[in-house]
Amino acid sequence: MTDTTDRPDTSDRAARLAARFPALHAPQYWTWGRYDAQFSTALPPDELVTNIHLVGFSGGLVVLCRDDQDHWFLPGGTRESGESIESCLVRELREEAGARLLGEPAWLGAHRCVTDNPEPYRPWQPHPEKAWLWGWAEVAVESAPTNPDDGEQVVEVRAVEPAEAQRLLVGSHDAWWGELVGLAVELRGRASAG
């Protein structure tokens, strides 16, 4: 797993990022899964990663999905048993956005999560600790989402300006989703300039 967040993750660098993206770096409680979550640019071990999500860029626009509950989200989802991170990302992009990776993803960081649920979400997942991995990459939207029965039912895929993506995501989620897109835009800009 590689990323573009200028390793090593020094405490000074981490403090600067946390000051610029305070909602993203703040301790969180995700009530839907009873998770205490904390974002870090330090990448977790592969065996803890249960979910992978992507800020997908298509010609500088951010690809978003809207489900049948009218929530906007970034494509991605839950890793299957024995599935690699890359295979999960490829599958989830196709299922939720009808999209294909155009290059290697760059990892932004992860939310490390701990739950007090008595059992893991899926039997093969680590428990009580797990991680949600976040990245960015160039993508091409090529078809309609495949919408498997056991996933979110996507009714719209839209590529929008980053500021509009932030607005739509914050309308459906917490403020940190907008900051996550802001971090991806910044790191993509650095990669393009370098």
Side-chain angles (χ1 to χ4, degrees), residues 11-23:
S11 58
D12 183 50
R13 184 183 156 282
R16 286 193 315 269
L17 276 177
R20 289 194 3 262
F21 302 103

Side-chain angles (χ1 to χ4, degrees), residues 18 42 90 101 104 106 112 129 132 135 151 174 182 191:
V90 167
L101 281 172
E104 291 293 316
R112 294 286 290 260
E129 185 180 358
W132 283 48
D174 296 325

Side-chain angles (χ1 to χ4, degrees), residues 144-162:
T146 60
N147 276 334
D149 291 337
D150 63 345
E152 292 90 353
Q153 295 305 298
V154 176
V155 297
E156 181 180 3
V157 176
R158 189 188 302 176
V160 298
E161 293 291 338

Side-chain angles (χ1 to χ4, degrees), residues 54-145:
L54 189 77
V55 180
F57 290 99
S58 177
L61 303 177
V62 176
V63 175
L64 294 182
C65 304
R66 184 172 61 86
D67 67 17
D68 56 358
Q69 303 296 307
D70 204 30
H71 295 117
W72 290 97
F73 62 95
L74 296 166
T78 303
R79 210 169 159 185
E80 299 295 338
S81 179
E83 188 175 41
S84 71
I85 287 172
E86 182 178 334
S87 295
C88 177
L89 185 56
V90 167
R91 177 180 56 78
E92 289 287 350
L93 282 171
R94 183 180 61 252
E95 289 178 359
E96 295 186 343
R100 174 176 60 87
L101 281 172
L102 296 178
E104 291 293 316
W107 301 114
L108 301 170
H111 277 94
R112 294 286 290 260
C113 305
V114 178
T115 184
D116 64 356
N117 278 333
E119 297 179 6
Y121 174 65
R122 301 265 173 94
W124 60 85
Q125 291 184 337
H127 187 75
E129 185 180 358
K130 68 182 203 170
W132 283 48
L133 184 63
W134 301 94
W136 71 268
E138 303 297 327
V139 301
V141 177
E142 299 180 324
S143 66

